Amino acid sequence: MDTAVEGRYSMLTEAQYKELLRYRGGGVEYNGELTEPLSFLLRKKYAILYHPATSDGKISNASICVITEIGKDALAEYERADDVMRKEKASKDADKSGDRKFQTKQTILNAVVCAVVSVLFGLVVGHFSEIVSFFTELFQKLPSP
């Protein structure tokens, strides 16, 4: 997944971020393969290629790729933005979890209420004639006004 984080510096995709991250610890010998992420980093001056001097003062044939200050800033901005996005996602996930818990509790409560009402209704239907007899006798025993 090549997500991009936008900010003050040009957007970095995840692949560009990973490539730039390789140079954070120091120079890395360039193998001659110019990948798209590295090409972007060089174009934006987030990283540079150079030929170091040897101990006798001659320029080496080896190329070293190093991160620039602009590149360090771009890394830091990407990481800040990524951290913000992770926190927002965690917050949304927590909200969803809370909603699911509420829905589960509500479903259980509905099931219990329905079960109680069904049992009561079943008792009324099953003993309807006895209930009618009870109230009939009760009203017959009341004195007339």
Side-chain angles (χ1 to χ4, degrees), residues 24-75:
R24 180 182 268 171
V28 175
E29 190 169 343
Y30 174 62
N31 64 4
E33 182 183 346
L34 188 62
T35 62
E36 185 282 322
L38 181 57
S39 174
F40 173 84
L41 299 176
L42 294 172
R43 212 173 40 252
K44 293 294 185 178
K45 305 283 191 246
Y46 292 167
I48 57 170
L49 284 173
Y50 75 97
H51 298 280
T54 60
S55 58
D56 60 357
K58 294 183 180 177
I59 294 179
S60 169
N61 286 335
S63 292
I64 303 292
C65 190
V66 294
I67 190 169
T68 63
E69 287 302 315
I70 297 170
K72 289 177 184 176
D73 292 343
L75 274 180

Side-chain angles (χ1 to χ4, degrees), residues 5 8-9 17 72-87:
V5 178
R8 192 172 88 196
Y9 300 96
Y17 168 75
K72 289 177 184 176
D73 292 343
L75 274 180
E77 185 169 318
Y78 180 94
E79 289 164 349
R80 277 191 303 274
D82 190 50
D83 189 45
V84 167
M85 287 190 313
R86 287 177 198 260
K87 286 179 182 174

